[in-house]
Amino acid sequence: MNHWIIAPIIVPLAAGAALLVLEGAEAHTKRVLSLSATAALLLIALMLLSAAATGEQHTYYVGDWPAPFGIVLVLDRLSALMLVLSAVLACASLLYALAGEDEKQKDFHALFQFQLLGINGAFLTGDLFNLFVFFEILLIASYCLLVYGGGAPRTRAAIHFVVLNLAGSSIFLIALGVIYGTLGSLNMADVAVKAASTDPHDAGLIRTAGLLLFVVFGLKAALVPLGFWLPSAYRSAIAPVACLFAIMTKVGVYAILRVHTLIFADQSTGTYLLAPWLLPLALATLVLGTIGVITASELRATVSYLVVVSVGTLLAAIGLFSRDALIAALLYLSHSTLVTGGLFLLADLIARQRGRDEARLNRPRAVHQPILLGSLFFVGAVAVSGLPPFAGFAAKLYMLKAAQGSAAAPWFWGTVLVSGVLVIASLSRAGSAIFWRTNDSAGEALPAQRCQALSTGILLAAAFLLMVFAAPALDYAEATVEQLLQSSGYIEAVLANRV
Amino acid sequence: MEALFAIVVGGLVACGVYLLLRARTFPVVLGLTLIGYGVNVFLFATGRLVTGSAPLVLPFIDSPPDPLPQALVLTAIVIGFGMTAYLVVLALKAYGQSGSDHVDGGPGE
């Protein structure tokens, strides 16, 4: 048993607890502790990635309880990929916060670590109830981080977010109750085995539970009609938090991928419970996000709607439920998470330098460092709208190719392509409004601190590296999809020590 | 008993949804609490309803009760309690900041 599998949960837990104790300590001490814990997390995640890349599904039985009874953590290619993504994003946003935002109020670092604990746990767990618990951990940390910094707009956005998610948690529990009541298990692999051989009399209940879980995960992923909380929440959070939240919608996407390929699917015939639902809803999300991007009057709102667009594109590709489309979706997931995270940081840098006008697009105030921020914005805009030379371009191309021949192809092609054009146009408009159509009234002379520029650069550079190493990334994505579509491997690995 | 049980769960959740849609923070908190009760009672029932059975797993009992739903409900209660407490504080803060108890922070009463 590889004990490192539980490290992505233990490290932030220990660091967060220590940071709570050290609350009165000097800022420097807390920063060093938090940053070193997050850097350690990145190293561990990379190590786990290389362990998972062998193709073996590693399992960790917590307390060494045999499989269907205890909680099991599973490390496969998909969860390792998500761990690395969240660790990279966490390092960058923490680095950005070190410029001073972590000292605005108490306990930023502790909450940040607990948020990572919840995210990593959700990626690793192989148990449905444990998934619920980790969701709640990441949610309670995100509620606190969302209001971090204070102010009425943040409180209002947080109320919507909290109420929606509490209602979502109730639905999650109902789904879990239905699954446990009919199948008598909550271990994902065990549930998958039992659901496949359930008597037809109960099949309706299982389908109900599957769709209820889809509602919950759709709420987390901000799928239409459950995603209206996202723009106000993300634009009102402080930049490092918004950057970290870029992975939160992907937790929902991950849960959909995991649960609905493993349990609520018949892989021998290639039928998926979600097949009639996911694609239309995702395309509607894409349309709504695009409209938001066009109409947004402030750069942070634009970036929030870009998150909606990326979720829509991603879930639309997953909704095709074909091997090639899933490969493209995984590549797009990695790319869009990094880029939207970077854009949140960049929008904050721009807003600071324009003083009172913030990042509004209808004001002519200039930024203090037009060259640095302008080039970062150019790179980010090119990357997020899926233009070459970035991985987003390759991913979208593969998606369009994968849609070829499916009945939904005209819808998919039309929506994705038109949305792409409109996003490019809106971002060009935003860029020219901020960097070109300016008058002489100089903004605040608040040059970007080195750690702020560096963290923004890291995320955009990571997106660029994804293109440079597109071949290995694609190979990894392909192997991941093979593993996802071959759920018997997962089930055998988890139930290997069955009593 | 099953019918009575189902009516109780349904009644709790229905009242909860009604209060949730009132869009004032206090009814919303009460509504979420009621939904939480309904869900917890529902989770209990996943261990099947029996009468006259022992509450504990003891060596001399032939068909012991299923302890897992109780553990699940306990976890759900604790989490729900914490979340509700947070929501109450947040609602008070929003009331202080906007002077309105509407969830959208609308002007006045």
Side-chain angles (χ1 to χ4, degrees):
Chain A
M1 208 154 64
N2 181 354
H3 284 279
W4 285 104
I5 295 173
I6 204 173
I9 297 173
I10 297 286
V11 170
L13 177 63
L19 283 163
L20 278 184
V21 176
L22 290 175
E23 195 231 297
E26 292 210 8
H28 182 70
T29 323
K30 289 192 275 184
R31 284 175 178 177
V32 168
L33 179 55
S34 186
L35 199 60
S36 45
T38 317
L41 191 64
L42 180 61
L43 289 181
I44 293 167
L46 286 172
M47 201 180 78
L48 292 179
L49 183 77
S50 72
T54 58
E56 191 194 338
Q57 275 120 329
H58 302 263
T59 49
Y60 185 85
Y61 303 97
V62 180
D64 211 11
W65 285 83
F69 302 112
I71 286 167
V72 58
L73 305 179
V74 186
L75 177 82
D76 65 353
R77 285 200 173 97
L78 181 61
S79 44
L81 172 70
M82 300 305 291
L83 285 178
V84 170
L85 269 182
S86 74
V88 170
L89 209 58
C91 281
S93 48
L94 193 62
L95 204 57
Y96 189 92
L98 294 190
E101 294 203 84
D102 57 335
E103 286 298 310
K104 268 189 185 167
Q105 280 181 353
K106 289 194 298 184
D107 289 333
F108 175 84
H109 291 293
L111 289 169
F112 193 89
Q113 295 296 331
F114 289 133
Q115 170 91 65
L116 286 177
L117 158 70
I119 293 174
N120 290 342
F123 289 147
L124 279 173
T125 185
D127 183 280
L128 283 171
F129 196 80
N130 200 226
L131 182 67
F132 165 76
V133 173
F134 279 122
F135 265 30
E136 295 303 309
I137 293 175
L138 83 87
L139 282 175
I140 189 83
S142 72
Y143 300 158
C144 301
L145 283 176
L146 187 54
V147 290
Y148 186 84
R154 285 195 184 120
T155 315
R156 191 161 61 237
I159 286 211
H160 295 175
F161 185 64
V162 174
V163 170
L164 268 175
N165 277 301
L166 282 181
S169 303
S170 302
I171 297 176
F172 202 159
L173 282 174
I174 294 175
L176 294 183
V178 172
I179 291 176
Y180 186 74
T182 39
L183 301 177
S185 182
L186 287 168
N187 178 299
M188 289 187 203
D190 199 30
V191 168
V193 173
K194 288 183 171 157
S197 59
T198 180
D199 87 83
H201 168 84
D202 281 340
L205 278 174
I206 302 294
R207 277 207 302 276
T208 312
L211 289 175
L212 281 174
L213 285 179
F214 174 53
V215 171
V216 180
F217 301 151
L219 175 67
K220 302 279 183 292
L223 193 67
V224 162
L226 301 164
F228 297 106
W229 56 269
L230 187 140
S232 70
Y234 278 37
R235 68 178 285 195
S236 54
I238 61 168
V241 171
C243 173
L244 185 63
F245 279 11
I247 194 83
M248 282 231 305
T249 51
K250 273 58 178 190
V251 177
V253 174
Y254 165 84
I256 290 178
L257 260 181
R258 170 70 73 212
V259 169
H260 286 92
T261 56
L262 181 65
I263 302 174
F264 305 102
D266 185 352
Q267 295 189 333
S268 56
T269 57
T271 48
Y272 294 87
L273 176 65
L274 283 190
W277 303 96
L278 192 54
L279 185 60
L281 290 175
L283 289 180
T285 313
L286 186 52
V287 170
L288 190 91
T290 311
I291 294 174
V293 171
I294 300 171
T295 51
S297 59
E298 202 239 321
L299 192 58
R300 276 180 295 198
T302 313
V303 183
S304 307
Y305 280 109
L306 283 173
V307 174
V308 180
V309 167
S310 79
V311 166
T313 315
L314 184 54
L315 286 177
I318 294 174
L320 291 170
F321 284 114
S322 74
R323 186 179 157 276
D324 293 345
L326 284 175
I327 296 172
L330 284 183
L331 190 61
Y332 187 78
L333 183 149
S334 325
H335 167 82
S336 68
T337 309
L338 296 171
V339 175
T340 45
L343 281 176
F344 273 119
L345 299 182
L346 182 60
D348 185 61
L349 279 181
I350 292 173
R352 280 160 185 272
Q353 296 196 357
R354 294 177 91 212
R356 274 184 302 111
D357 287 345
E358 298 205 310
R360 286 190 200 101
L361 300 178
N362 53 357
R363 301 291 168 84
R365 194 184 288 253
V367 292
H368 183 64
Q369 294 170 300
I371 309 253
L372 173 71
L373 297 187
S375 27
L376 282 175
F377 182 82
F378 179 72
V379 173
V382 166
V384 81
S385 48
L387 290 177
F390 282 98
F393 174 72
K396 275 197 177 172
L397 197 66
Y398 282 122
M399 275 179 204
L400 295 175
K401 227 174 121 194
Q404 212 171 17
S406 89
W411 293 100
F412 187 84
W413 282 43
T415 321
V416 170
L417 290 176
V418 171
S419 146
V421 171
L422 292 176
V423 165
I424 294 171
S426 312
L427 287 175
S428 335
R429 191 195 56 157
S432 51
I434 289 174
F435 297 106
W436 283 345
R437 223 168 40 227
T438 52
N439 59 16
D440 295 334
S441 64
E444 307 272 315
L446 247 179
Q449 294 191 25
R450 213 181 300 151
C451 63
Q452 291 177 322
L454 184 67
S455 54
T456 318
I458 286 176
L459 286 178
L460 296 178
F464 184 71
L465 282 182
L466 202 58
M467 189 61 197
V468 175
F469 295 103
L474 263 181
D475 287 344
Y476 188 87
E478 193 176 340
T480 310
V481 172
E482 296 293 343
Q483 209 172 39
L484 265 183
L485 296 183
Q486 197 58 251
S487 57
S488 54
Y490 182 97
I491 294 169
E492 275 161 28
V494 172
L495 299 182
N497 76 342
R498 170 162 233 165
V499 278
Chain B
M1 189 169 66
E2 277 81 359
L4 182 65
F5 202 87
I7 291 169
V8 168
V9 173
L12 281 172
V13 173
C15 294
V17 170
Y18 174 76
L19 287 172
L20 191 61
L21 296 178
R22 301 279 293 176
R24 300 265 166 191
T25 45
F26 187 61
V28 164
V29 171
L30 282 187
L32 285 171
T33 317
L34 280 184
I35 293 180
Y37 290 156
V39 169
N40 290 341
V41 173
F42 174 77
L43 278 184
F44 251 127
T46 59
R48 295 294 179 272
L49 301 171
V50 271
T51 46
S53 166
L56 298 172
V57 181
L58 296 170
F60 50 84
I61 289 174
D62 297 333
S63 59
D66 187 347
L68 194 73
Q70 304 176 14
L72 301 188
V73 170
L74 193 61
T75 315
I77 289 174
V78 172
I79 290 177
F81 182 72
M83 296 292 177
T84 311
Y86 184 80
L87 181 58
V88 169
V89 175
L90 196 64
L92 279 174
K93 191 174 167 186
Y95 182 62
Q97 280 174 345
S98 67
S100 158
D101 67 342
H102 195 275
V103 288
D104 291 332
E109 290 301 307

